[in-house]
Amino acid sequence: MPNITLKHVNKSYDKNATNAVSDLNLEIGDGEFMCLLGPSGCGKTTTLRMIAGLENLTGGEIAVGDRVIDSIGKGVFVPPEQRGMGLVFQSYALWPHLTIEKNTDFGLRLRKVPKAEREERVNLVMKKLGIEQYRDRYPSQLSGGQQQRVALARMLAVNPEVLLLDEPLSNLDARLRLEMRTELKRIHGEFGTTIVFVTHDQWEAMTLATSIAVMHDGTLQQVGTPNDIYDRPANRFVAEFVGSPPINIIDQSPGNSRITDASRQYLKEYFPAISGADSLGLRPENIKLASQISDVPADHFAEEAFVAAILPTGGSWIIEVMVDDHKLFLTVNEPPQVSVGQQVWFHTSPAFMHLFDSDDQRLTAADDVIAEFCAAGESCAPSAAKAS
């Protein structure tokens, strides 16, 4: 299927209200697994429904390749059933009085597909999704994860060019969510279907998507691969929304705190060419601890702190340290070698610093300066920092 292109798309439910979606420009490639990620009310479900044709645009245009499917200016609106897209709702919407087999072939019967072809396609998709043994059961006799597979099978049986998923895993428990993430990843690989997936769960987006579009207050914040979104967030909102525990932010206003003064002095000493930094972000997994300053690499940013709490999470630990009244969180994957109340030095490589300006936008010029600096020193490299 050709690319799906959204150009300057707007959606408002009230002419006097703030747009639910504002000036959205987005391109979804053929065979892509695109996640629309953001908090509740950010416009991601509205965007999905406009692609599906369940919501009319207030302005802008949606096109599939060269074919415009929705445009106020051009007076074009292609109804949902003619768009070649399948939609799976948060509620699975299975027919309770039909067997699993009848639910799966429901769309094919509506399209009057010949019986032999219908049976072949239903058998194939049920086998691939591991639900063929349930064909004579009813939805009430299946678990939530099994019902989810039936809802997916019903859509895949009609062979849609695009599969639209609106938070389909939110009703499942943690174990089933993990299983269904794996299932969706496999389905995408096997069927090659273009998938647009709406979620507020950052880990679903990071583990499933080939591309993520982060939204906030109806506007697009950043589009990129999961690694792009995590390693080079375009602004503070993206940096703080993606990551658990969330990124540590250090204000760069003069005299704000001891850690502020220390970070400002560090940047001034090692990176005098950097200007305009209003805040500094440090991911928890990129902060290390040392018992004494002599154990800290010379070019790392470091400051003395004390350990306020150690929180085990199963396979890892979250450590809270305090620099005066400023909290920092870091994570480790091995039992901590520190104890609560202990004085330590936290430190991090400049390679892991995220700098933002007064408009909360990423200072990309600072990235270039730091990259050039790190290229000249071994201890600045990520691998060395992790070992410190």
Side-chain angles (χ1 to χ4, degrees), residues 248-249 320-329:
N248 299 285
I249 298 293
E320 177 189 336
V321 299
M322 299 286 294
V323 181
D324 294 338
D325 59 352
H326 192 101
K327 292 182 181 179
L328 289 176
F329 293 94

Side-chain angles (χ1 to χ4, degrees), residues 1-247:
M1 183 176 187
N3 293 355
I4 302 171
T5 305
L6 288 75
K7 298 179 181 178
H8 304 292
V9 167
N10 290 282
K11 176 62 181 180
S12 176
Y13 294 98
D14 183 341
K15 292 183 179 179
N16 299 319
T18 303
N19 282 350
V21 176
S22 299
D23 196 30
L24 176 61
N25 292 282
L26 182 65
E27 185 162 314
I28 303 167
D30 180 25
E32 190 168 14
F33 197 133
M34 168 71 77
C35 272
L36 303 180
L37 173 67
S40 297
C42 72
K44 55 189 185 294
T45 293
T46 300
T47 299
L48 190 81
R49 290 174 65 86
M50 288 189 290
I51 295 172
L54 301 181
E55 298 279 0
N56 296 106
L57 307 185
T58 304
E61 178 178 297
I62 299 178
V64 178
D66 296 328
R67 179 195 182 204
V68 176
I69 60 173
D70 201 346
S71 173
I72 296 294
K74 296 179 180 178
V76 174
F77 179 78
V78 176
E81 65 272 15
Q82 296 178 20
R83 296 191 179 192
M85 302 178 184
L87 178 60
V88 178
F89 295 95
Q90 183 174 345
S91 171
Y92 310 139
L94 300 177
W95 295 105
H97 64 291
L98 297 180
T99 64
I100 299 311
E101 181 177 9
K102 293 298 184 183
N103 264 285
T104 303
D105 76 354
F106 185 79
L108 296 174
R109 284 185 280 118
L110 284 180
R111 299 184 183 198
K112 302 188 186 325
V113 175
K115 182 179 179 180
E117 181 184 350
R118 189 171 72 230
E119 290 179 348
E120 181 181 358
R121 287 165 67 174
V122 167
N123 288 336
L124 176 64
V125 74
M126 290 182 72
K127 183 176 181 180
K128 285 194 173 183
L129 289 177
I131 57 174
E132 57 184 339
Q133 67 270 38
Y134 309 125
R135 63 171 62 245
D136 296 323
R137 296 189 188 182
Y138 292 87
S140 62
Q141 297 174 304
L142 301 186
S143 69
Q146 291 163 345
Q147 290 183 42
Q148 175 65 73
R149 295 184 188 189
V150 176
L152 288 170
R154 180 177 57 190
M155 284 295 101
L156 292 170
V158 299
N159 195 26
E161 295 175 312
V162 177
L163 189 58
L164 307 176
L165 307 176
D166 186 9
E167 301 200 48
L169 309 185
S170 60
N171 294 329
L172 306 181
D173 61 37
R175 182 180 179 86
L176 282 176
R177 285 170 76 100
L178 179 60
E179 290 178 359
M180 285 310 302
R181 286 178 199 171
T182 304
E183 194 67 35
L184 284 172
K185 195 81 170 179
R186 186 182 65 80
I187 288 170
H188 180 249
E190 285 194 15
F191 288 87
T193 305
T194 301
I195 297 178
V196 185
F197 184 102
V198 164
T199 183
H200 64 272
D201 188 323
Q202 56 175 299
W203 294 121
E204 281 184 6
M206 295 291 288
T207 55
L208 288 173
T210 55
S211 294
I212 299 174
V214 183
M215 300 184 67
H216 179 52
D217 288 342
T219 60
L220 183 64
Q221 303 294 308
Q222 184 176 1
V223 180
T225 66
N227 286 340
D228 291 337
I229 298 295
Y230 192 80
D231 294 334
R232 291 178 63 87
N235 53 46
R236 267 190 64 171
F237 172 79
V238 176
E240 292 179 296
F241 188 77
V242 178
S244 180
I247 194 170

Side-chain angles (χ1 to χ4, degrees), residues 266 269-271 296-302 347-351 353 370 373-381 384-385 388:
Y266 173 83
E269 178 180 352
Y270 285 91
F271 305 103
V296 177
D299 57 11
H300 279 205
F301 167 52
H347 61 99
T348 187
S349 164
M353 288 184 166
I370 291 174
F373 173 87
C374 288
E378 290 184 0
S379 63
C380 188
S388 64

Side-chain angles (χ1 to χ4, degrees), residues 221-353:
Q221 303 294 308
Q222 184 176 1
V223 180
T225 66
N227 286 340
D228 291 337
I229 298 295
Y230 192 80
D231 294 334
R232 291 178 63 87
N235 53 46
R236 267 190 64 171
F237 172 79
V238 176
E240 292 179 296
F241 188 77
V242 178
S244 180
I247 194 170
N248 299 285
I249 298 293
I250 301 173
D251 186 9
Q252 293 298 286
S253 301
N256 184 60
S257 65
R258 176 160 63 92
I259 193 170
T260 293
D261 294 340
S263 58
R264 283 172 54 84
Q265 180 59 37
Y266 173 83
L267 291 174
K268 182 178 179 181
E269 178 180 352
Y270 285 91
F271 305 103
I274 293 177
S275 62
D278 189 74
S279 57
L280 165 65
L282 301 174
R283 294 280 186 200
E285 67 273 17
N286 297 141
I287 300 176
K288 308 301 173 185
L289 295 181
S291 57
Q292 50 192 5
I293 188 63
S294 59
D295 295 330
V296 177
D299 57 11
H300 279 205
F301 167 52
E303 185 59 31
E304 192 172 14
F306 80 91
V307 179
I310 298 175
L311 310 173
T313 63
S316 62
W317 289 260
I318 299 173
I319 301 176
E320 177 189 336
V321 299
M322 299 286 294
V323 181
D324 294 338
D325 59 352
H326 192 101
K327 292 182 181 179
L328 289 176
F329 293 94
L330 61 122
T331 57
V332 294
N333 294 320
E334 297 179 355
Q337 302 301 308
V338 296
S339 57
V340 174
Q342 181 179 340
Q343 291 294 128
V344 294
W345 287 84
F346 81 85
H347 61 99
T348 187
S349 164
F352 296 120
M353 288 184 166

